[in-house]
């Protein structure tokens, strides 16, 4: 079976801890033509705010994934197409590589494995909450990135490699290094995409671009531009 993300160009990531601009609804965002909505964030995430966003998006016709930041916020909901679970390859603490995952399985028992996948994150913006929380080593060269991408795919069988610059626009050469290292895995890029041009540039380098803050800061038209760019690239 082909993985769903093999056909995607664009993901809209909605952070349940952040407000939407006035007049913007989850329905408007789901209707931008994004290929999937991923619900997740690093700080301030609770089962309640996760569930509220899932419920708001579930009425709309868009693939819906939860990206839990820790086992305590996982929501069991049939409206979800699945769970995309981060594992941070350059984390300083093993908790964020396999530890949180082990706890989830220990506490919850049998997961719905048919709907559960991992994303091999390489976190690159040291200022981002995700970098600080996971104590990520972001001082990495293009060779380091290529090597992480390669081991993710070849040694650890990861189907998704995610170059994450959350909050800032990344180095295009770094994303290219990941691209060149991968044969089969799907490359996600996220961070600082804020308009058509930035979306187009990264969509030419990654398989899938992830747009987050823009939805909360600017709203629907800005997100729409990035969907158009991802599909044009
Ligand atoms: C965050 O990669 C996503 O996990 C998107 O980043 O919020 O900077 O768009 P931005």
């Amino acid at each position: 079976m082909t993985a769903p993300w093999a056909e995607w160009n664009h993901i809209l990531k909605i952070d349940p801890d952040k407000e939407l601009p006035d007049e913007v609804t989850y329905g408007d965002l789901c209707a931008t033509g994004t290929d999937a909505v991923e619900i997740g964030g690093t700080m301030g995430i609770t089962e309640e705010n996760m569930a509220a966003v899932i419920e708001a998006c579930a009425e709309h016709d868009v693939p819906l994934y939860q990206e839990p930041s820790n086992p305590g916020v996982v929501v069991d909901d049939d409206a979800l197409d699945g769970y995309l679970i981060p594992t941070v390859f350059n984390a300083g603490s093993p908790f964020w590589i396999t530890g949180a995952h082990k706890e989830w399985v220990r506490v919850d028992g049998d997961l719905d494995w048919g709907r559960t996948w991992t994303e091999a994150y390489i976190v690159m913006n040291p200022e981002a909450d995700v970098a600080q929380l996971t104590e990520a080593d972001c001082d990495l060269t293009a060779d380091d990135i290529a090597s992480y991408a390669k081991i993710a795919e070849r040694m650890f069988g990861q189907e998704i490699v995610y170059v994450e610059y959350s909050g800032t626009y990344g180095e295009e050469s770094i994303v290219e290094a990941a691209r060149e290292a991968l044969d089969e895995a799907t490359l996600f890029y996220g961070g600082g995409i804020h308009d058509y041009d930035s979306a187009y540039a990264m969509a030419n380098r990654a398989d899938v671009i992830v747009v987050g803050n823009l939805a909360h800061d600017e709203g629907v038209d800005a997100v729409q531009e990035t969907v158009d760019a991802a599909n044009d690239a």
Side-chain angles (χ1 to χ4, degrees), residues 5 181 194 219:
W5 49 84
H194 56 277

Side-chain angles (χ1 to χ4, degrees), residues 165-180:
Y165 275 89
S166 180
T168 193
Y169 187 72
E171 290 278 338
E172 294 171 354
S173 59
I174 288 281
V175 184
E176 281 163 18
R179 156 86 288 133
E180 281 160 27

Side-chain angles (χ1 to χ4, degrees), residues 34-57:
T34 187
D35 295 303
V37 169
E38 205 176 357
I39 305 171
T42 304
M43 307 306 278
I45 307 299
T46 63
E47 226 179 311
E48 290 70 33
N49 62 17
M50 267 284 185
V53 178
I54 293 169
E55 194 186 328
C57 294

Side-chain angles (χ1 to χ4, degrees), residues 169-173 175-176 189 193 195-206 209 226 229-230 232-233:
Y169 187 72
E171 290 278 338
E172 294 171 354
S173 59
V175 184
E176 281 163 18
Y189 167 81
I193 290 177
D195 59 9
Y196 184 95
D197 289 346
S198 54
Y200 188 84
M202 283 306 184
N204 263 322
R205 293 169 169 86
I209 58 167
T226 66
D232 290 348

